[in-house]
Structures are given as C-alpha cells and as structure tokens.
Amino acid sequence: MSEFRSKHNREERSSDKGLFNSLHSRKSVAPVIRSTEPLSKLALFIRFLKPVTWIPVMWSFLCGAVSSGFFGWHDITGIKFLLGMLLTGPLASGTCQMLNDYFDRDLDEINEPNRPIPGGAISLQNATILIALWSVLSVITGYLIHPLIGFYVVIGIINAHLYSANPIKLKKRLWAGNSIVAISYLIIPWIAGEIAYNPNLTLTSLQPSLIVAALFTLSSTGTMTINDFKSIEGDRQVGIRTLPVVFGETRAALIAAILINLGQLLAALYMLLVGQNGYALVVALLVIPQFFLQFSLVRSPSTMDVRYNAIAQNFLVAGMLVCAFAIKAAKP
C-alpha cells in the first residue's frame, strides 16, 4: 500500500510539473493560431499596406492640386494625377505603413496580434525586402511627377523612421509623434499637389497653401490622438506616452476635440482675411456636426473613437477641399 501511494504521489508531482511548464512556456505555434482566415499572397500584401490609411494623403494631394489654380476636373484622368494618386496612396503611404508595422511588431503582439508580422504571415526578411522595393518605387514615382516631389518622398520616409524606429521613436514622445504624422499626411502631400500643377511656383504663391495646410495639420494632430485610444493598453505596457496614456481617456478626448475644432476655425478665419467670406462660412459650418459628435466621444472615448472618425472626418476633409477652392479663387 505504501509503495502504491509513493508511486501515485510521484505521478501527481509529475503531472503538476507538466501543467506548470505548459502554463509558463512560450507557445511556439502562436503565430499560426492567430491567423483567423487564410489569405492569398496578394490579399496579405494589401493588408500589410493598410489601404484605409491612404485616403487622407491622397485627399491632401488633391487639395494641393486644386489650390494651385491650374488643376481642372479634366486632369483627373491625366497621367500626372494618376501617378500622384499611386504615389500618395499605395506607394508612399504603403511604405510608411509597412515601416510602422516593422518597427512596432513587439507592440502589435499586444494590441493587434493578427497583424501580418506578429501573426507570422510575413517574415522579417520578406518585410525588409518589400519595404526596400516600395521605398525605391515611391521615390522614382515622385521624381517622375516632379524632381522636388521625389525629394519630398524621401523626407516622408525619413519621418516614418523617426516616428517608429528606436532610439528616437517619436511616437513615445507625446506631441511629437502625432505631429510628425500629421505633417507627413497633410502638409507634404498638399504642397506636392501644388508643385505638381503650378508652373509658376514661388514661395509667395505657395504661402496660402502652407498656412491652410498647417492649420489643418493642427486639426489632424487631434484626429491622430483619437487613433491612439485603440492601443492604449499596449502603449501603457511598453511605455509609449500618447495623450490617452498621459492624460487619461477623457482629458485626451477633450484635448483632441479642441485641436480638431481650433485648426478648422482658424482656417475659416484665414479665409475671411483673404476675402473669401462665402468659403469661410462653409468651413465654419462644417465644424458644427463635428462639435456635436464630440460630446459622445468625450463621454466614452474607447467605444466612440472609430465611429467618431468614420463620421466626423468627412466634414473635416470637406473643409479642406473648400479651403483649396478658396485659395484658387483668391489667386490673381
């Protein structure tokens, strides 16, 4: 009987030890389990490029083209505009998104484990090859539109590194991260649109676009803050100091709302100063629906962030295009 108990105790200890090891060991098959659905190579690549992030950059290029005064709707089918959309969409924006995923792979393990790199669908080697190829194609396409735009693309790619890559990693540094993204998403493509279509470009003629793009960049900094609510838990764990992490969700939402409204209202004021009163009124009116949506955002930032951006952003980008037409109308 004593011998049986001894054997039974050894088996229990062995079972407990096995259970302990299984609970504390790293699951080597985790990347495979994370994949929720099989994707073709093309679908996986498109997901890596994050198409939803292209739209603001493409829109900014359009606004810059309109504000140049030399762009007409017939130009939409022209090769220059098509190259501009290709550049600001899948190429340059796609490159920056791939870079962000590459450098944020540890953070995505917490926030978005099904992303291609942390999920194991794209290896680091393949990601590096894709990023290098896409970077070269982006610079070449920018150069084909205008040599200066090729230089702008290089600046945008450098900004993407500054935002995501250690040791600088500006996304850890509160205002700096959202600001550099807003500049890359708005000022750079807006001015690129001006450069692409204005044959008589001078610093004086570019000044209205620079001012309006900078003011909408202030608003865009606020919308970037709203994007931070979805990753607040992972940001806390790895020490990334976003506004929601530092100030809390409610205060961060309030700050974001103030920035969003302030940039647009200042743009409307600038329209008044250049004598475009009708356009100024339209821009100001477009702030009103955003203002009412912000009440729900401030009350529950973590549940209203996606819905707010999906609805309110439409009014903000409409205001951008209205300002572009105003700048065009104000040109001599």
Side-chain angles (χ1 to χ4, degrees):
M1 189 65 163
S2 174
E3 198 173 311
F4 170 81
R5 285 178 180 167
S6 177
K7 181 179 179 182
H8 179 67
N9 289 339
R10 284 197 301 271
E11 288 174 350
E12 281 189 338
R13 285 194 298 270
S14 176
S15 175
D16 290 345
K17 186 177 180 181
L19 178 60
F20 179 86
N21 288 336
S22 67
L23 288 172
H24 290 76
S25 62
R26 185 177 179 87
K27 296 180 180 179
S28 59
V29 295
V32 178
I33 294 172
R34 285 174 183 156
S35 183
T36 56
E37 58 180 8
L39 294 174
S40 67
K41 289 183 179 180
L42 177 60
L44 181 64
F45 181 53
I46 291 173
R47 188 180 173 203
F48 195 28
L49 295 174
K50 288 188 183 175
V52 71
T53 64
W54 307 345
I55 299 171
V57 192
M58 296 166 74
W59 189 262
S60 296
F61 181 87
L62 171 64
C63 290
V66 170
S67 62
S68 72
F70 293 90
F71 178 86
W73 295 118
H74 61 277
D75 290 309
I76 288 179
T77 57
I79 185 66
K80 185 183 293 185
F81 185 74
L82 294 177
L83 283 175
M85 292 295 100
L86 178 66
L87 172 65
T88 54
L91 289 179
S93 296
T95 299
C96 293
Q97 291 305 319
M98 289 191 290
L99 279 165
N100 185 61
D101 275 18
Y102 181 88
F103 290 116
D104 274 3
R105 55 191 183 273
D106 294 335
L107 182 60
D108 286 341
E109 286 271 359
I110 302 168
N111 292 326
E112 297 181 83
N114 286 322
R115 292 294 308 159
I117 293 179
I122 294 180
S123 68
L124 290 181
Q125 182 181 10
N126 287 339
T128 303
I129 294 170
L130 289 171
I131 290 168
L133 175 62
W134 237 237
S135 297
V136 171
L137 287 174
S138 298
V139 174
I140 291 172
T141 304
Y143 184 85
L144 289 174
I145 301 171
H146 192 285
L148 190 55
I149 294 177
F151 174 69
Y152 271 31
V153 173
V154 173
I155 294 175
I157 294 173
I158 291 172
N159 285 349
H161 281 83
L162 293 175
Y163 176 75
S164 298
N166 287 317
I168 298 175
K169 207 174 182 77
L170 290 179
K171 71 183 298 181
K172 286 184 175 181
R173 304 175 191 273
L174 202 57
W175 296 100
N178 286 348
S179 297
I180 199 169
V181 171
I183 289 168
S184 299
Y185 270 46
L186 212 147
I187 293 181
I188 290 178
W190 188 305
I191 301 307
E194 272 261 15
I195 291 170
Y197 286 93
N198 191 343
N200 307 314
L201 193 69
T202 64
L203 189 58
T204 301
S205 67
L206 195 60
Q207 183 177 329
S209 281
L210 280 169
I211 291 172
V212 171
L215 292 174
F216 274 98
T217 296
L218 182 62
S219 294
S220 188
T221 302
T223 62
M224 295 295 170
T225 298
I226 295 173
N227 289 332
D228 290 334
F229 288 115
K230 71 179 185 298
S231 57
I232 187 169
E233 187 56 40
D235 291 342
R236 278 200 188 104
Q237 289 184 36
V238 300
I240 292 180
R241 301 177 71 248
T242 62
L243 261 67
V245 169
V246 174
F247 294 105
E249 291 188 19
T250 301
R251 286 183 182 178
L254 187 59
I255 293 170
I258 291 171
L259 292 174
I260 290 167
N261 297 341
L262 181 62
Q264 293 174 87
L265 291 174
L266 288 174
L269 177 61
Y270 180 71
M271 294 299 102
L272 283 175
L273 294 176
V274 297
Q276 301 300 315
N277 299 352
Y279 290 106
L281 178 61
V282 173
V283 174
L285 290 174
L286 286 168
V287 178
I288 295 174
Q290 299 173 67
F291 177 75
F292 284 109
L293 285 166
Q294 286 159 4
F295 283 99
S296 298
L297 175 69
V298 173
R299 279 198 298 267
S300 182
S302 59
T303 59
M304 286 297 298
D305 55 346
V306 175
R307 182 168 179 242
Y308 175 84
N309 271 344
I311 301 173
Q313 285 270 54
N314 298 307
F315 299 102
L316 189 149
V317 298
M320 289 170 57
L321 189 58
V322 170
C323 285
F325 277 112
I327 294 170
K328 178 180 180 179
K331 287 185 182 295

